[in-house]
Amino acid sequence: MKNMNLWKYFTKENHKEFVLSLELLKDTGQTADQKLRCLYAVSKNTCRHYKCFTVPKWDGTVWELQAPDPLLKEIQRSILRNGLETLPVSPYAAAYRRGVGILYNVVPHLKKNKVLKLDIRDFFGSISYMMVYNSAFPRLYYPPSVAALLAYLCCYMDYLPQGAPTSAAISNLIMKPFDDYMGKWCGEKNIVYTRYCDDMTFSGDFDVIPVIHKVRNFLFSMGFELNKKKTKVVNNNNRQAVTGVIVNEKPQVSRAYLPNFTLRNLRIWALN
C-alpha cells in the first residue's frame, strides 16, 4: 500500500482523536473541542505568538532569532518530545542530538592533511513550510491533515524559526538524505564528513573541487545555497579549526574564537 493511501479511511473524528493523542497541551480542564480549537487557532496565527530579536556575532553580523511565547513553546516541546525525537537522524549530524557534544563534530577531523569547511547560506530561513511538512511529519506516521497542522505550528512566516524548540530536530530530519548520501560518498573516497547545523566539514587527503561541486549540486536540488564567503580549505601546516576547536594535534579552543564559541552555544540554547 502506498503511503498516500494509509489514511484513506480515516474519518474526521479519527483525525481529531489523532491530534488529541499527541497531547500537545497540558491538561488544564479544557474539553477536547476546546483544545482542538486552541491548536488550530494558534496554527493559523503563529506570527502573533513569536517575539523577534537579534544576537550579535563576533564578526559584526547578527543572528536573527524568533522566540515563541509560552503557549506555543509548550505545544512545540510536546511535538518535539512525542514525535520529532522518535525519528532517526543521520550519524553524520553532530549538532542538536541528546548526549552528543561538540567533540562529536571535532574528533573525527583530528590530525588530517586537509580540512574543507563549507557553510549553508541562511540555513533556517531556507527551510520552507513544505520541507517541514514533507520531512518532519512523514505520511507513514501522520495523516496529511495532521502533518499540515503540526508543520504550521513549527513554522514562522513560512520558514523554520531560529528559537523554536522544534527547529533543531526538524533541520536534522530535513538534512538526513543529504548527510547519509554525503557520508557514504565521502567514505568511499576516504574522506571524513560531519555536519554541525549549517557547518559542513570534510577532512583527509583529497581534491576539494569535486567535493564542493557535489555538495553545491545536492544542496541546490534541496533548495539550499552554499555560502561562498565561508568556504575555506586549510592544510595541516596552518591552524585547522572545526566549529572553533583547533584539530591539528589535539582538540583546543582558539582564544580568538571564544566569543563566537560562546555565542554559538547561546544560539543552540535558544533552540531548546
Side-chain angles (χ1 to χ4, degrees):
M1 182 182 294
K2 295 182 179 180
N3 287 354
M4 63 183 295
N5 294 323
L6 286 176
W7 311 102
K8 182 178 179 180
Y9 301 104
F10 241 49
T11 66
K12 186 176 181 180
E13 288 302 315
N14 292 145
H15 282 81
K16 289 181 178 180
E17 292 171 0
F18 193 106
V19 173
L20 291 171
S21 72
L22 297 175
E23 298 181 345
L24 302 182
L25 291 168
K26 292 180 180 178
D27 188 4
T28 58
Q30 292 176 303
T31 65
D33 285 341
Q34 287 174 330
K35 290 181 178 180
L36 289 170
R37 283 198 295 270
C38 176
L39 291 170
Y40 281 99
V42 172
S43 72
K44 293 177 181 179
N45 299 279
T46 53
C47 290
R48 298 181 182 179
H49 295 270
Y50 281 95
K51 179 180 180 181
C52 300
F53 60 98
T54 60
V55 175
K57 296 182 184 179
W58 68 282
D59 60 0
T61 59
V62 298
W63 277 311
E64 296 183 0
L65 301 179
Q66 303 81 31
D69 65 14
L71 173 60
L72 182 54
K73 181 175 284 190
E74 173 195 334
I75 294 170
Q76 291 173 339
R77 282 177 172 167
S78 296
I79 294 173
L80 177 66
R81 181 175 59 254
N82 300 333
L84 299 175
E85 288 186 336
T86 66
L87 299 176
V89 300
S90 175
Y92 302 99
Y96 314 134
R97 294 172 57 188
R98 290 188 181 277
V100 173
I102 197 169
L103 287 180
Y104 186 91
N105 187 57
V106 171
V107 172
H109 303 288
L110 287 173
K111 301 180 181 180
K112 295 296 191 296
N113 289 335
K114 187 181 299 181
V115 172
L116 167 66
K117 298 190 291 184
L118 302 175
D119 180 89
I120 301 174
R121 182 177 178 274
D122 189 21
F123 181 49
F124 285 93
S126 299
I127 297 177
S128 67
Y129 163 83
M130 286 307 301
M131 294 166 72
V132 175
Y133 173 79
N134 288 321
S135 297
F137 307 105
R139 300 303 83 78
L140 181 62
Y141 304 113
Y142 298 94
S145 63
V146 177
L149 169 65
L150 297 177
Y152 276 121
L153 289 169
C154 293
C155 289
Y156 170 83
M157 297 287 287
D158 195 40
Y159 65 87
L160 201 61
Q162 291 195 68
T166 44
S167 292
I170 288 173
S171 70
N172 277 342
L173 293 171
I174 287 170
M175 291 299 293
K176 187 178 187 302
F178 174 88
D179 290 336
D180 287 343
Y181 176 84
M182 288 306 306
K184 181 179 179 181
W185 185 83
C186 288
E188 293 171 350
K189 294 168 175 54
N190 201 29
I191 303 171
V192 177
Y193 163 69
T194 62
R195 180 183 58 82
Y196 194 92
C197 186
D198 51 1
D199 296 332
M200 297 162 287
T201 304
F202 305 82
S203 65
D205 191 2
F206 60 99
D207 183 357
V208 301
I209 300 302
V211 176
I212 294 174
H213 285 169
K214 180 69 70 172
V215 171
R216 181 191 295 120
N217 292 338
F218 200 125
L219 289 178
F220 182 79
S221 71
M222 296 176 68
F224 294 109
E225 181 182 349
L226 272 182
N227 188 340
K228 296 179 181 178
K229 295 181 180 179
K230 292 189 176 182
T231 297
K232 293 182 180 180
V233 182
V234 187
N235 294 319
N236 59 4
N237 57 340
N238 293 301
R239 190 185 66 176
Q240 298 171 321
V242 176
T243 48
V245 180
I246 299 172
V247 296
N248 293 74
E249 293 296 332
K250 61 180 181 180
Q252 182 179 355
V253 178
S254 166
R255 289 185 178 181
Y257 197 84
L258 275 173
N260 198 40
F261 188 78
T262 302
L263 286 171
R264 181 183 295 274
N265 288 337
L266 174 63
R267 183 191 189 195
I268 294 173
W269 169 82
L271 286 162
N272 289 279

